Amino acid sequence: MGPAKVEVPSPQNFLRKHSKEKRLPQKKPFKYADHEKRKPPIPPRPENPLKRSPNKKNFIASNAMEVIKASPKKPPVCFVDSRKGDRHLLETSGIPKFINKKGYGEIPEYIVKIKEKKKEYETYLKDQFYKARPKQLHDEDRQRLLYGLKKNWEELNRQYLCLPVLIDTNPVKQHKQRLEHAMDQLEKDIKKVEEEPVIYIDFH
């Protein structure tokens, strides 16, 4: 009876630091699996490398051909001011240099391009104006328009005559004013269409 008798651990066998961590195996030197299949090493650099062969170009002949094919040098622009032939350079004589410039007096290219673009823009505006110009109303359409205006006036006049004699409410008064205004406008339009023989239509 009583607790079991077990062996007491020794104080010398205490738990040490990092004793329970996993340890990797020792590092071994790397070795290739098959030494025979490896490529041979790069050969060493020679001490005396091969030199280029000397250039066999004939400079005398090539220079002579260049001189023969070359264009002659233009003499400087000078002026003579005495009968003995005393010559002086024109650049240092006070005469402007730009008169001897290539293309002097010609219109620059950018101005020519600007003028061309301006002409294109003017033609574009003319085309747009031609497309958007008002069209003349034909006689048949004019008579049809006049007939429609008169029909509308008759309809408004019929509504106006149907109004009550005693107008004592605001909605009826406003309706009467709208009818009178519309009839007046139609009368003006009918008079204008009858007086003007030529009518143009603007779609804008």
Side-chain angles (χ1 to χ4, degrees), residues 57-72:
K57 183 179 179 180
N58 190 352
F59 290 97
I60 297 174
S62 61
N63 292 340
M65 289 301 296
E66 288 179 3
V67 172
I68 291 169
K69 293 180 179 180
S71 58

Side-chain angles (χ1 to χ4, degrees), residues 48-59:
N48 298 324
L50 296 175
K51 295 182 179 180
R52 291 183 178 179
S53 59
N55 196 351
K56 297 181 181 180
K57 183 179 179 180
N58 190 352
F59 290 97

Side-chain angles (χ1 to χ4, degrees), residues 42-103:
I42 299 173
R45 187 176 179 182
E47 296 182 357
N48 298 324
L50 296 175
K51 295 182 179 180
R52 291 183 178 179
S53 59
N55 196 351
K56 297 181 181 180
K57 183 179 179 180
N58 190 352
F59 290 97
I60 297 174
S62 61
N63 292 340
M65 289 301 296
E66 288 179 3
V67 172
I68 291 169
K69 293 180 179 180
S71 58
K73 188 178 179 181
K74 293 182 180 181
V77 183
C78 302
F79 70 96
V80 180
D81 60 351
S82 66
R83 61 192 179 94
K84 293 182 180 181
D86 295 333
R87 299 197 310 167
H88 303 280
L89 292 175
L90 192 63
E91 292 184 358
T92 59
S93 63
I95 298 175
K97 297 181 182 180
F98 58 83
I99 61 174
N100 297 321
K101 187 177 179 181
K102 185 179 179 180

Side-chain angles (χ1 to χ4, degrees), residues 158-203:
R158 187 188 63 79
Q159 295 179 13
Y160 184 79
L161 294 175
C162 292
L163 290 173
V165 179
L166 182 62
I167 299 174
D168 53 354
T169 58
N170 288 330
V172 179
K173 289 180 180 179
Q174 292 175 1
H175 183 56
K176 180 183 177 184
Q177 291 176 358
R178 285 197 297 269
L179 290 174
E180 290 176 349
H181 178 71
M183 290 171 66
D184 293 340
Q185 186 64 37
L186 283 173
E187 288 176 359
K188 291 179 182 178
D189 294 340
I190 292 169
K191 185 178 180 182
K192 186 177 292 184
V193 172
E194 289 177 346
E195 290 178 354
E196 298 292 337
V198 180
I199 298 175
Y200 291 97
I201 302 173
D202 191 2
F203 296 98

Side-chain angles (χ1 to χ4, degrees), residues 6-25:
V6 293
E7 188 177 356
V8 180
S10 175
Q12 303 296 332
N13 296 332
F14 56 87
L15 187 63
R16 303 180 186 278
K17 189 177 182 181
H18 304 294
S19 61
K20 291 188 176 183
E21 292 181 358
K22 293 182 179 180
R23 295 183 180 180
L24 297 174

